[in-house]
Amino acid sequence: MDRRHFLAALAACAAPVAGAASSPWPLLQRGGYVILMRHAATVPGIGDPPGFKLGVCSTQRNLSQAGRADATKIGAAFRKHAVPVGPVLSSRWCRCVDTARLAFGRVEPSEMVDSMFQDEDAARERKLAQLRAYLAGYKDPGNLVLVTHDVNIRALVGKYVEQGDIVIATRSPDCTLRIETTMPVAQLTG
């Protein structure tokens, strides 16, 4: 299956739920949701500079000062609304790890949520299969947080989000994700 058809098939499974709550905080306070968060605002650019190395932050496109402030405010909003946070998994890219750490105070870097930006179809499908297997075994009553990249969020739920935005999703029986609602960064930091 080529990438275009694969992503279209994923998007077809991601229709938003009609009548989602006007405020997402009560949903999140119940726990058990999957929070897909795109890393906070970065310095301008797309992808990473030439010579990028995964383990070396100085070679990557990193959070801007505004992004660092937004990530901190997002965490404060979660604490203010008493949102139970379970595991916080992050792409190993520094902008994601930093977003997770600033927002939630802890992070578990995970290859399965690493950027799919330059992945071939087989690598994308492997990451999605690993994530679905993780979701199948997820039993924590808190919300699972995945701090990742736009391309990954589009592959999982067919939705484009801006930097710092989150998608609140539920797991379907086949461990695909269904959007309940979204929260733009301005709502989270305002």
Side-chain angles (χ1 to χ4, degrees), residues 32 42 57 68 134 182:
T42 62
C57 294
R68 296 179 76 74
Y134 183 88
T182 59

Side-chain angles (χ1 to χ4, degrees), residues 1 6 24 29 43 48 50 58-60 71 78 85-86 92 98 103 118 124 133 142 151 155 157-158 166 180 183 188:
M1 176 182 286
F6 179 72
Q29 288 166 344
V43 297
D48 287 288
S58 64
T59 68
Q60 301 178 29
F78 271 67
V85 175
R92 296 177 296 165
D98 291 346
Q118 294 187 343
R124 286 175 184 250
V151 66
V157 294
I166 70 168
E180 290 293 323
M183 294 177 77
L188 292 157

Side-chain angles (χ1 to χ4, degrees), residues 5 10 38 58 66 102 109 115 133 151 153 166 183:
H5 290 110
L10 282 174
R38 185 175 177 190
S58 64
L102 288 166
S115 177
V151 66
I153 294 170
I166 70 168
M183 294 177 77

